[in-house]
Amino acid sequence: MTTQAQLHCFCLLTLYLTTGYGQEGKFSGPLKPMTFSIFEGQEPSQLIFQFKANPPAVTFKLTGETDGIFQIQPDGLLYHNKTLDRETRAVHRLQVSALDAQGNTVEGPVPVTIEVKDINDNRPVFLQQHYEGSVRQNSRPGRPFMYVNATDLDDPATLNGQLIYQILMQLPKVNDVMYFQINNQTGGISLTPQGSQELDPLKNPSYKLVVSVEDMGGLNEHSFSDSAPVVITVKENIWKAPEPVEIEENLTQPYPIKITQVQWNDPGALYSLVGKENTPRLPFSIDQEGDIYVTEPLDREEKDEYVFYAVARDEQGKLLSKPLEIQVKVKDINDNPPTCPSPVTVLEVQENEQIGSSIGTLIAHDMDEENTVNSVLEYRIVDQTPKVPRDGLFLVHTYHGTLQLVVQSLHKRDTPQYNLTVEVSNEDFKTLCFVQINVIDINDQIPIFEKSDYGNLTFPEDTAVGSVILTIQATDADEPHTGSSKILYRITQGDSDGRLEIETDPQTNTGYVKLKKPLDFETVAIHNIVVQAENPEPLVPGVQYNASSSATFRLTVTDVNEAPQFFQQVFEATVSEAVAKGTKVGNVTARDPEGLDVSYSLRGDKRGWLRIDPVTGEIFSAAPLDREAESLYRVQVVATEVGGSSLSSTAQFHLTLTDVNDNAPRLVKEYTGLFFCYPLKAPGSLIFEATDDDQPTFRGQHFTFSLGSESLQKDWEVSKINGTHAHLSTKHTGFEERVYNIPIRISEGGRQPMEGTVSLSVTFCKCVENRCFQPAAHMPGIPPVGMAVGILLATLLVIGIILAVVFFRMKRDKGQHNAESAQASEVKPLRN
């Protein structure tokens, strides 16, 4: 081969040298260990490297895993004469030796490693041409239930051997929803969330998928792929709640006892039980096969049914599906005796009760389950005390427990009470219950008044309500303190207005006639009252109330002079405060019960605003009204009868005044102490607020402000802030140090607007710490300094004269009196 051809081959070759000397771009060198990386599939006769020998070496020898592919020329040129295949051999380990002319090794052998680099020259292939699998409906989404696998002979450490799985087709595809998904790395096929919820073997028992596998990670358009069909059978979900379980109570066999079973669709689930209610402890357990056990005897009378849940979780504790409800009903056995409703059951029977009448029912109880043979009770009378007038007076229904009178009627005077012993039994137990039967009197006697006429009663019409005006008495021969002998009194005639009532003493049946409402001579002067005495218990057939149960009395009401009566206690009226004097503003009305004329007058008219017509009760304005002074004016109206005793009564008259605009605006307060510091360095302003005493409208108060004199406009200005506030501002700084009185004109809007002028006093004064400071000499009422000194000297002079006089008197009288007289002498001049 010529040197030019060798250079051409070197240009086509890509070398990767991994040891010291050989580097990219250097294709010759001394004999030393080297590693070369060469892509598979390249054309044969590709040059790899040229080793150079040092004398006496004249040629080279190649040994090792040449596979007839690698050769070396005598001049040290290493090349391959066939195409490399990584899948046949990925690494070739060669040895190169340098020989002298006699063929003796003078250098080496040195190792030379040829690494065959992979190219994508193999397509992935599924391990099976056809796949079949099955899945349970409602299986957990995302958990693989089968796998598809493919292989690729290319280097798995390179992109050439990286395989990606995907589902190309799903048949049928209901509502264009994918029920299956595949892990693109592992080939694991699982359900989508929709598939977990919607798969139903009754609708579609099987599905066909077409899955593909692609190398190059699916990222290269020149990648290879393969596909395979997958048939998936949908099986019925076995994670279902079992049928309700019945367990007989108080079982005697060894515990735990298996009662039912649950099973998850796939093996490896972790099972547990959870109570439906806040049960402190369940008498049940579950093993990891899904078998559910009862762990202790159950008592139906304590709890007749248990409801709890079986839970399936994966290894990470995540729920595999919704828990299953487990129902356990405790089956009854006959383990409870009958119980009596009470130590003694008390019944009553009337003495004239007919044969066959029901007296009452003895209701015993059995804790065993109702409507079963265990709780069916039978009743039987085993004893009667006393046996008077004979034994067997009563019968009890075998199954109902109803007691009947079966021989003859009873008489209370003969035997007032009977005691029965009743045997109550079920299949295995017997209990004795006791019944007391009281013979009660019947209402065969009517109440009889002690007298039929209570005569005439006279009471004034002002007798107090609640007063007892009459005591009546009737008697009843039936048994005392029963409904047959208790007496109720009822007025049947003469009291249509319901002014009377009758209360009965429950112990004596005495009736007390009382006033329920006031008597009224003018309405009814004479009442002819009829009273009926009755029992709350109905009379027996054939017995009726008659005249003996009725009584009468005559009530005469005498007249009492009563004060006039107003038709209402509060009279109200509303007028404008601007009504003219003499305008009618309201009226009141009263009547005298005796029909006398009524005269009206006012009381409490402290402002003298009103007058009343003494005859008609009409009320008129007597002076101008002022809502701002009093918006609700209250007076008393007095109605006095004319003639008679001149009795009177009072009522209230409330007059509400509505507003008119009759008040000029004014300042909301007296503004004192307004000042500017002198000399004024810059124009300033003050804020003031206005109001008026009229009632504000729903829009509030709105005033306009202006200076009260045009001559002030060169020095001052007034600007409105809002409806009630304004600024008073100076226009310049050239003001004197004195007090300025600024007139402000305030006007209001609306109907009949009014205007007022107010004055603001503003002082210009020297300031200390932003406060107005005026020297004492300039303050009103403070005397000048000279005058103050004169006053002080005069005062001191007077005090000195008084002290001298006192001293002189004390010295003159010294020694003439004792100590007490001396003290008195000292005091007297002071008193004088």
Side-chain angles (χ1 to χ4, degrees):
M1 182 179 296
T2 64
T3 303
Q4 184 177 1
Q6 293 174 354
L7 292 174
H8 176 70
C9 291
F10 281 128
C11 292
L12 297 176
L13 181 66
T14 301
L15 296 176
Y16 296 85
L17 306 179
T18 60
T19 59
Y21 181 78
Q23 295 183 4
E24 186 177 354
K26 295 186 178 182
F27 306 104
S28 63
L31 184 64
K32 59 183 294 185
M34 302 190 73
T35 299
F36 301 94
S37 296
I38 305 173
F39 281 104
E40 65 174 333
Q42 294 188 11
E43 295 295 327
S45 300
Q46 296 288 330
L47 302 180
I48 301 175
F49 195 80
Q50 184 170 16
F51 293 99
K52 294 185 177 181
N54 296 318
V58 296
T59 186
F60 292 90
K61 176 182 177 182
L62 180 66
T63 59
E65 299 171 345
T66 61
D67 295 343
I69 299 174
F70 298 97
Q71 294 183 355
I72 192 168
Q73 293 185 355
D75 60 357
L77 189 64
L78 177 66
Y79 66 96
H80 63 88
N81 57 14
K82 294 181 181 179
T83 301
L84 299 178
D85 184 7
R86 191 200 67 83
E87 286 73 37
T88 301
R89 188 188 294 274
V91 177
H92 294 265
R93 293 175 174 80
L94 309 177
Q95 293 85 36
V96 177
S97 303
L99 308 178
D100 59 11
Q102 290 74 33
N104 298 319
T105 300
V106 296
E107 190 176 353
V110 298
V112 176
T113 303
I114 306 297
E115 295 177 348
V116 183
K117 297 195 66 177
D118 186 50
I119 63 171
N120 191 23
D121 57 349
N122 292 280
R123 65 185 293 251
V125 178
F126 277 106
L127 298 182
Q128 297 177 214
Q129 295 183 351
H130 177 84
Y131 288 89
E132 293 184 355
S134 63
V135 63
R136 298 275 183 187
Q137 65 178 137
N138 303 125
S139 292
R140 184 160 63 94
R143 182 167 185 169
F145 59 85
M146 67 174 296
Y147 288 85
V148 295
N149 292 291
T151 60
D152 192 313
L153 297 177
D154 291 321
D155 187 359
T158 66
L159 196 62
N160 303 326
Q162 291 185 10
L163 305 183
I164 296 295
Y165 298 91
Q166 62 178 328
I167 297 177
L168 299 179
M169 186 185 306
Q170 170 191 298
L171 295 174
K173 193 175 184 181
V174 181
N175 296 326
D176 200 33
V177 175
M178 290 296 293
Y179 290 161
F180 302 92
Q181 58 189 352
I182 190 169
N183 186 306
N184 63 1
Q185 300 292 327
T186 66
I189 299 177
S190 62
L191 294 180
T192 64
Q194 295 91 336
S196 176
Q197 296 177 4
E198 300 178 15
L199 279 184
D200 188 347
L202 298 179
K203 295 180 180 179
N204 291 297
S206 66
Y207 289 82
K208 182 177 181 180
L209 306 180
V210 176
V211 297
S212 72
V213 62
E214 188 175 3
D215 62 13
M216 302 291 289
L219 301 176
N220 194 306
E221 62 181 358
H222 302 296
S223 60
F224 295 108
S225 63
D226 190 17
S227 61
V230 180
V231 176
I232 299 174
T233 302
V234 180
K235 295 183 179 181
E236 183 180 6
N237 178 25
I238 60 174
W239 181 247
K240 293 182 178 180
E243 293 295 324
V245 179
E246 280 196 357
I247 306 174
E248 193 173 272
E249 65 175 329
N250 296 318
L251 291 173
T252 57
Q253 61 193 88
Y255 289 87
I257 302 172
K258 180 179 177 180
I259 56 174
T260 188
Q261 181 182 18
V262 294
Q263 185 178 352
W264 177 243
N265 295 315
D266 303 311
L270 304 177
Y271 301 104
S272 61
L273 299 180
V274 178
K276 182 176 182 180
E277 304 167 349
N278 293 328
T279 308
R281 186 182 63 84
L282 283 173
F284 304 95
S285 64
I286 187 171
D287 62 19
Q288 291 314 303
E289 300 299 323
D291 294 332
I292 299 176
Y293 301 86
V294 58
T295 59
E296 61 187 52
L298 305 180
D299 186 355
R300 192 204 68 85
E301 287 71 41
E302 178 181 330
K303 190 174 180 65
D304 61 354
E305 186 178 29
Y306 292 86
V307 179
F308 52 93
Y309 294 98
V311 180
R313 302 178 187 271
D314 60 14
E315 295 83 354
Q316 287 74 39
K318 185 177 180 181
L319 283 175
L320 294 172
S321 184
K322 293 181 179 180
L324 301 181
E325 184 176 89
I326 311 298
Q327 297 182 18
V328 178
K329 183 178 180 181
V330 184
K331 189 175 180 181
D332 185 47
I333 63 173
N334 191 13
D335 58 349
N336 289 281
T339 59
C340 303
S342 61
V344 177
T345 300
V346 179
L347 303 175
E348 292 183 343
V349 58
Q350 290 186 344
E351 60 181 352
N352 68 335
E353 200 72 60
Q354 296 181 358
I355 295 176
S357 296
S358 174
I359 299 172
T361 303
L362 173 64
I363 303 176
H365 299 280
D366 193 311
M367 295 293 291
D368 293 317
E369 185 175 2
E370 294 182 1
N371 303 319
T372 65
V373 66
N374 298 328
S375 60
V376 174
L377 303 180
E378 296 183 9
Y379 299 85
R380 183 172 67 92
I381 297 175
V382 296
D383 186 46
Q384 169 191 311
T385 304
K387 298 177 175 57
V388 176
R390 52 164 292 182
D391 195 6
L393 293 175
F394 305 96
L395 175 68
V396 64
H397 191 285
T398 304
Y399 294 103
H400 296 164
T402 301
L403 289 159
Q404 292 176 290
L405 186 64
V406 295
V407 177
Q408 64 182 53
S409 296
L410 305 178
H411 298 284
K412 180 179 177 66
R413 62 180 176 272
D414 296 332
T415 306
Q417 183 182 95
Y418 289 90
N419 294 295
L420 304 180
T421 302
V422 180
E423 180 187 85
V424 185
S425 61
N426 58 29
E427 282 194 338
D428 300 311
F429 300 95
K430 294 180 180 180
T431 301
L432 294 179
C433 296
F434 302 98
V435 179
Q436 176 182 307
I437 300 176
N438 296 324
V439 182
I440 62 174
D441 186 38
I442 60 174
N443 194 12
D444 57 356
Q445 302 293 322
I446 64 172
I448 299 176
F449 273 100
E450 62 179 5
K451 55 183 177 180
S452 61
D453 188 354
Y454 283 85
N456 296 321
L457 305 176
T458 301
F459 285 91
E461 63 178 335
D462 62 352
T463 302
V465 171
S467 300
V468 177
I469 63 172
L470 178 65
T471 300
I472 58 179
Q473 183 70 60
T475 58
D476 192 304
D478 288 312
E479 182 180 359
H481 308 300
T482 66
S484 300
S485 63
K486 182 178 180 181
I487 297 177
L488 301 178
Y489 297 97
R490 181 168 58 92
I491 297 175
T492 59
Q493 293 181 27
D495 186 28
S496 58
D497 293 333
R499 298 181 185 275
L500 304 178
E501 63 180 354
I502 305 176
E503 293 182 357
T504 303
D505 186 324
Q507 301 299 322
T508 64
N509 278 337
T510 301
Y512 300 97
V513 183
K514 294 184 175 182
L515 287 185
K516 184 179 180 181
K517 296 179 181 178
L519 299 175
D520 189 358
F521 171 82
E522 289 74 24
T523 303
V524 180
I526 299 176
H527 300 265
N528 293 307
I529 305 297
V530 177
V531 180
Q532 177 75 30
E534 299 173 342
N535 301 128
E537 195 74 29
L539 296 172
V540 297
V543 178
Q544 295 181 350
Y545 297 107
N546 56 34
S548 299
S549 299
S550 296
T552 61
F553 65 90
R554 181 185 180 92
L555 174 61
T556 300
V557 181
T558 59
D559 188 27
V560 174
N561 189 17
E562 299 173 273
Q565 298 176 352
F566 282 98
F567 290 104
Q568 60 194 69
Q569 286 302 306
V570 179
F571 295 85
E572 296 178 321
T574 301
V575 296
S576 169
E577 66 173 336
V579 296
K581 179 181 177 181
T583 302
K584 179 182 176 180
V585 297
N587 66 283
V588 297
T589 305
R591 61 173 289 274
D592 185 74
E594 288 75 38
L596 297 177
D597 292 335
V598 177
S599 174
Y600 300 96
S601 61
L602 296 179
R603 182 185 298 167
D605 183 15
K606 58 183 183 296
R607 296 186 181 273
W609 284 354
L610 304 175
R611 69 175 179 84
I612 189 168
D613 188 309
V615 177
T616 65
E618 294 177 312
I619 301 175
F620 301 89
S621 62
L625 306 179
D626 187 1
R627 188 202 68 83
E628 288 70 37
E630 199 160 354
S631 60
L632 178 61
Y633 193 54
R634 298 179 177 89
V635 296
Q636 276 190 338
V637 182
V638 182
T640 306
E641 64 182 10
V642 179
S645 303
S646 299
L647 297 177
S648 64
S649 60
T650 61
Q652 297 290 325
F653 178 71
H654 294 173
L655 180 62
T656 300
L657 302 180
T658 59
D659 188 44
V660 296
N661 192 14
D662 57 351
N663 288 276
R666 60 177 177 82
L667 292 176
V668 74
K669 64 179 180 179
E670 182 178 358
Y671 285 91
T672 60
L674 299 179
F675 72 94
F676 288 107
C677 291
Y678 177 85
L680 194 62
K681 296 181 179 179
S685 64
L686 302 170
I687 297 176
F688 61 93
E689 180 183 358
T691 185
D692 73 14
D693 295 318
D694 292 316
Q695 185 175 12
T697 65
F698 70 95
R699 296 177 57 190
Q701 296 175 323
H702 291 274
F703 302 113
T704 58
F705 305 88
S706 62
L707 288 171
S709 174
E710 293 183 0
S711 63
L712 299 175
Q713 292 181 358
K714 67 179 182 299
D715 300 323
W716 303 87
E717 69 176 350
V718 176
S719 56
K720 183 177 180 179
I721 299 175
N722 53 35
T724 57
H725 292 73
H727 281 294
L728 174 62
S729 306
T730 62
K731 285 188 172 182
H732 57 78
T733 60
F735 289 90
E736 299 178 2
E737 185 181 3
R738 65 180 180 87
V739 177
Y740 291 81
N741 292 310
I742 313 299
I744 306 293
R745 185 181 297 111
I746 306 174
S747 304
E748 63 181 3
R751 297 179 180 178
Q752 301 178 346
M754 299 195 72
E755 182 179 279
T757 300
V758 300
S759 179
L760 288 176
S761 295
V762 182
T763 302
F764 286 81
C765 58
K766 290 185 172 62
C767 293
V768 176
E769 295 182 353
N770 292 324
R771 294 183 179 273
C772 186
F773 173 76
Q774 291 182 337
H778 294 168
M779 294 184 182
I782 303 299
V785 175
M787 184 181 294
V789 172
I791 293 172
L792 178 60
L793 291 175
T795 303
L796 292 174
L797 179 60
V798 172
I799 294 172
I801 293 171
I802 294 172
L803 291 174
V805 171
V806 171
F807 179 77
F808 176 76
R809 292 288 302 272
M810 289 176 61
K811 188 174 182 182
R812 187 188 63 181
D813 296 338
K814 184 177 180 182
Q816 296 178 359
H817 300 88
N818 56 25
E820 293 181 356
S821 298
Q823 292 177 1
S825 299
E826 288 181 293
V827 175
K828 283 181 181 179
L830 293 177
R831 290 179 179 172
N832 292 334

